[in-house]
Amino acid sequence: MKNKKQNSVAHESKIVLRILPNEFLITTTYLAERYQTKSTFIRWPLPKTVNPHNINADIELLSDHLARLAKAYHLEGNYISVILPHSIAPLKTIEIPLNLEVAADKKEYKNQTKQPYDFWKEFDDALVDFKQAEIRANYLYSNQMDSNSKMLYSAISSKTIKDYVTMILSGNLYPVEFISEDQSIIKIVESRLTRVEKERPFCVFHLSKGNHKLIHCSHEEINVAKVDISDLDEILFDEITADTDFNNDFWQEIAQRLTSALKQAVLFLRDERKVSKFESVFFVSDYNHESQLFKLFNKNFRLANFRSLSTQFMCFN
């Protein structure tokens, strides 16, 4: 039986929810000491596989299990941030023909974005799939030579937001913000970097069922490359335990296949996207036994420093 101290995380300052195909993942961040935060996470298994990219068909089931989770960990009534999958809230860098360092252009931008859908549909073809959308754009920098500005941009279907709000309120929690998956991962990594490291470009390798990706981050832009991992290898991820021994021909062959997929994504970013040089790739995984998976990928990967963040977290199952 878990004691009350372990079973309660309501005192944490920030609570973040992600829906994965087979579980809820709750991450909490709290002030452990002065100027120092710590993170914990809770894994709550679901009774069936759901589609995080379209939760409408399973809203009742998800609401019921979210309410159970909230009650078990004394979270009822708390405010919660929600991470939206890359497929429904991709993070992009978009260039607009306005120099936002110039007062006149900044004023024109403010006026034009009073009707955000009409303005951004000229720059984001994906908006034609939405009747209504929640759009967010943040200024990155301006190119003084051609009077353009680079923006960090994300658009989400308003219907998707409505489904998530319904599910969370029914789970006795209050949604306060929706964050794109890519942006949340970047924030997690940046929070653990030194001041010098934050000044340099870096990559994040996110291992997430059906949506494995390599994210390149710099002050100028964000680029995302898909990492092609087969369904068969994904099944093997679930079978890995803390005692799995990778020192045999079977796992060595898998390790070579996996690192080859990661290398292809790195080469795509370097050769096709022409991204700025980076020294480190940070590994983040939605699977259990992250430290074991890190060993599997790290075995043959030599294109950059391969680093894990798993030791920064404490897990409640």
Side-chain angles (χ1 to χ4, degrees):
M1 182 177 179
K2 296 178 180 177
N3 60 45
K4 187 174 181 181
K5 183 178 179 181
Q6 184 187 32
N7 213 39
S8 174
V9 291
H11 65 282
E12 264 78 61
S13 59
K14 184 164 186 177
I15 306 170
V16 180
L17 168 70
R18 287 187 62 207
I19 302 175
L20 301 176
N22 298 300
E23 63 184 356
F24 286 131
L25 182 62
I26 294 274
T27 306
T28 62
T29 303
Y30 61 96
L31 189 65
E33 299 175 13
R34 191 178 182 184
Y35 307 125
Q36 184 180 5
T37 61
K38 288 189 177 181
S39 296
T40 69
F41 63 88
I42 304 164
R43 293 185 180 275
W44 184 276
L46 297 171
K48 58 170 279 192
T49 299
V50 300
N51 181 4
H53 315 292
N54 183 7
I55 66 169
N56 185 269
D58 295 301
I59 279 184
E60 289 187 12
L61 179 146
L62 292 169
S63 298
D64 177 58
H65 277 267
L66 188 60
R68 294 185 194 184
L69 185 159
K71 184 175 182 179
Y73 287 92
H74 306 283
L75 295 173
E76 293 162 303
N78 272 267
Y79 297 109
I80 194 165
S81 301
V82 184
I83 306 300
L84 297 175
H86 171 83
S87 62
I88 59 177
L91 194 64
K92 306 176 182 179
T93 49
I94 291 180
E95 196 169 70
I96 61 173
L98 294 168
N99 183 351
L100 298 187
E101 296 287 343
V102 176
D105 281 8
K106 190 173 183 179
K107 182 178 180 180
E108 183 179 351
Y109 172 77
K110 186 176 181 180
N111 288 332
Q112 290 193 33
T113 53
K114 287 178 179 178
Q115 300 294 330
Y117 185 91
D118 292 336
F119 175 79
W120 287 107
K121 70 181 180 181
E122 301 296 325
F123 307 100
D124 182 12
D125 294 338
L127 281 183
V128 299
D129 297 328
F130 306 150
K131 291 183 179 179
Q132 291 182 310
E134 302 288 333
I135 298 170
R136 292 174 186 165
N138 295 311
Y139 171 73
L140 289 175
Y141 69 95
S142 292
N143 187 328
Q144 303 297 330
M145 297 294 292
D146 55 18
S147 297
N148 290 340
S149 293
K150 189 82 79 171
M151 309 293 290
L152 191 62
Y153 166 94
S154 182
I156 309 153
S157 163
S158 296
K159 181 182 181 303
T160 297
I161 294 292
K162 184 178 179 181
D163 287 343
Y164 269 83
V165 168
T166 299
M167 184 267 294
I168 293 162
L169 290 176
S170 298
N172 300 321
L173 293 163
Y174 295 97
V176 291
E177 65 176 339
F178 294 90
I179 309 167
S180 74
E181 183 179 72
D182 300 340
Q183 192 167 13
S184 71
I185 292 168
I186 293 168
K187 283 184 175 181
I188 288 171
V189 173
E190 285 186 332
S191 71
R192 287 155 177 80
L193 298 182
T194 65
R195 182 183 60 80
V196 173
E197 287 175 326
K198 288 178 182 179
E199 297 297 319
R200 301 169 180 166
F202 62 88
C203 278
V204 183
F205 173 34
H206 182 209
L207 196 68
S208 180
K209 188 174 183 180
N211 187 29
H212 314 289
K213 55 189 177 293
L214 185 66
I215 308 170
H216 178 273
C217 313
S218 71
H219 290 303
E220 291 77 27
E221 58 185 351
I222 305 292
N223 282 280
V224 181
K226 182 179 179 182
V227 180
D228 288 312
I229 295 175
S230 69
D231 293 343
L232 179 60
D233 287 337
E234 286 186 340
I235 293 171
L236 291 174
F237 292 159
D238 290 322
E239 296 179 359
I240 290 174
T241 69
D243 299 322
T244 301
D245 182 8
F246 298 130
N247 294 315
N248 55 62
D249 291 343
F250 175 75
W251 282 110
Q252 285 179 9
E253 180 182 340
I254 293 168
Q256 288 177 354
R257 189 162 63 239
L258 294 173
T259 51
S260 176
L262 180 55
K263 288 174 184 176
Q264 288 300 316
V266 170
L267 294 174
F268 172 78
L269 290 176
R270 285 181 176 175
D271 299 340
E272 300 296 326
R273 295 289 180 85
K274 307 295 183 184
V275 300
S276 49
K277 184 179 179 181
F278 58 93
E279 296 179 356
S280 297
V281 174
F282 294 92
F283 179 65
V284 178
S285 173
D286 294 338
Y287 291 89
N288 287 316
H289 305 296
E290 182 172 323
S291 60
Q292 285 284 75
L293 284 163
F294 173 79
K295 293 176 186 176
L296 194 59
F297 279 92
N298 191 40
K299 212 170 182 65
N300 300 302
F301 185 75
R302 298 291 181 270
L303 295 182
N305 297 324
F306 199 61
R307 300 167 62 180
S308 173
L309 296 175
S310 62
T311 55
Q312 307 268 354
F313 298 91
M314 178 170 57
C315 179
F316 299 145
N317 283 305

